[in-house]
Amino acid sequence: MAAIDNDWLEPLSPEFKKSYYRELYKKVRQEYSTKVVFPPADDVFNAFRLTPLKDVKVLILGQDPYHEPGQAHGLSFSVKPGIEIPPSLLNIYKELHDDQGCYIPNNGYLEKWARQGVMLLNTVLTVRNHQANSHKGIGWEEFTDAAIRVLNEQDRPIVYMLWGKPAQSKQEMLNNTKHLVLTAPHPSPLSAYRGFFGCRHFGRANEFLKSNGLKEIDWQIEDI
């Protein structure tokens, strides 16, 4: 796996020395050598690489990577160009259209968001081919919880978008009064109609950033 080598490294380095992480690393290496695992090993920490800690304005928390070939590349909800837009992301785009007037693009590549300070983090960072949640419980949750705690300690405005119960379970960790926590049902077709549609999280995030003197996020993903 590619290492974390930016300003996330110092606050997360204690995790690398813990026994759970040593076991996690061993397990993940074994999985990559014996099974088909996503995302590609060099992409596992892309959420950290593309959104340095000092730049994080928004955290969108997903569950685990897409588990079909060619989809996952280390950013929650995002797929590489040329890959069909997954249903949950299509619903995110529909909400963005209603909330911010964004047109629905022809791709699901969200790197533009990551480079503006939108951290697209999954709670679990790897998955076996065709097996959703197959790496749940092997240690990733402990590591990503540590990252969430690091964000909670930042003395500046940050927005959290917690969609669905697994993401909302992290809410108790988020007690920084300078931060804004937004919750809604998950954007999946099974639950989007229970309140994800109409949540207006993208506009609310930008209003919060603007009111704190920060540059708003340009949410429009352009056609390729």
Side-chain angles (χ1 to χ4, degrees):
M1 292 186 293
I4 293 173
D5 59 4
N6 59 11
D7 60 353
W8 276 105
L9 181 59
E10 184 180 350
L12 288 177
S13 59
E15 301 304 307
F16 300 133
K17 301 179 179 74
K18 293 180 181 177
S19 58
Y20 89 85
Y21 191 87
R22 287 196 293 271
E23 290 302 311
L24 167 65
Y25 185 78
K26 195 187 307 179
K27 172 74 172 173
V28 170
R29 281 196 60 153
Q30 181 186 15
E31 286 281 295
Y32 272 102
S33 63
T34 58
K35 305 281 191 307
V36 177
V37 175
F38 303 127
D42 285 348
D43 289 344
V44 168
F45 291 121
N46 271 353
F48 298 90
R49 183 178 66 82
L50 291 169
T51 313
L53 176 58
K54 66 179 174 54
D55 295 338
V56 177
K57 295 178 178 179
V58 179
L59 175 72
I60 299 180
L61 193 62
Q63 191 166 316
D64 69 332
Y66 294 124
H67 53 270
E68 296 301 321
Q71 292 182 312
H73 66 106
L75 301 180
S76 62
F77 295 104
S78 180
V79 291
K80 287 185 177 178
I83 300 295
E84 185 178 357
I85 300 171
S88 292
L89 180 53
L90 195 56
N91 284 339
I92 291 170
Y93 284 162
K94 288 175 182 174
E95 174 59 22
L96 258 175
H97 171 75
D98 294 345
D99 182 5
Q100 296 288 288
C102 297
Y103 68 81
I104 295 177
N106 63 4
N107 69 92
Y109 191 49
L110 304 182
E111 186 174 314
K112 176 183 175 179
W113 293 359
R115 292 192 181 279
Q116 292 181 83
V118 180
M119 189 174 193
L120 298 164
L121 182 68
N122 283 312
T123 55
V124 174
L125 301 187
T126 54
V127 68
R128 277 190 196 174
N129 186 28
H130 305 314
Q131 296 180 48
N133 278 326
S134 47
H135 285 178
K136 181 181 179 182
I138 67 170
W140 280 127
E141 294 92 342
E142 196 165 341
F143 180 74
T144 53
D145 277 0
I148 293 167
R149 283 193 293 272
V150 169
L151 287 173
N152 183 61
E153 291 164 3
Q154 299 305 299
D155 187 29
R156 64 176 198 274
I158 294 175
V159 182
Y160 302 87
M161 297 185 187
L162 306 180
W163 301 332
K165 286 180 180 170
Q168 288 169 24
S169 72
K170 310 299 180 183
Q171 191 170 358
E172 62 190 29
M173 300 166 59
L174 303 172
N175 56 13
N176 189 322
T177 56
K178 290 192 175 181
H179 297 178
L180 174 66
V181 180
L182 302 174
T183 63
H186 195 275
S188 94
L190 297 173
S191 55
Y193 289 94
R194 297 184 198 141
F196 177 77
F197 290 136
C199 71
R200 300 295 187 263
H201 281 187
F202 304 99
R204 290 167 68 186
N206 273 351
E207 286 168 14
F208 177 78
L209 294 173
K210 186 177 181 181
S211 70
N212 282 282
L214 295 172
K215 188 176 180 182
E216 298 165 76
I217 305 299
D218 175 8
W219 293 107
Q220 180 67 68
I221 299 295
E222 287 84 10
D223 281 343
I224 293 177

